[in-house]
Amino acid sequence: MRSRYAAYALADADYVRRTWHPDTVPAELDLNDGVKYTGLRIHRAEGDEVEFTASMKGPDGQPHNMRERSRFVQLDGRWVYLDAAE
């Protein structure tokens, strides 16, 4: 989770794609959208789920928080992001 957050912050789309399950990775991924990531807080990590809040500033400079419960699965011996848990 932390490495994916860092990849978003550094706009490293290749890393984000490599750590995303091939069945759910989007066809288009633009990380050069003017968002500045300012913090990550992990609330809970249990089994294949991680609940977190990512803090960021939008292109307009306004702060935003995104809270998500993400699901991960092992694929070829490594953990990859599957989707947001409901």
Side-chain angles (χ1 to χ4, degrees), residues 61-77:
Q62 292 296 316
H64 301 277
N65 289 316
M66 182 191 81
R67 187 165 181 152
E68 181 178 295
R69 200 170 84 235
S70 298
R71 290 190 308 166
F72 292 82
V73 295
Q74 283 202 15
L75 184 65
D76 297 327

Side-chain angles (χ1 to χ4, degrees), residues 7-13 29-37 59:
Y8 273 94
L10 297 170
D12 186 348
L29 184 63
D30 179 14
L31 301 184
N32 295 308
D33 54 4
V35 173
K36 180 179 177 175
Y37 292 84

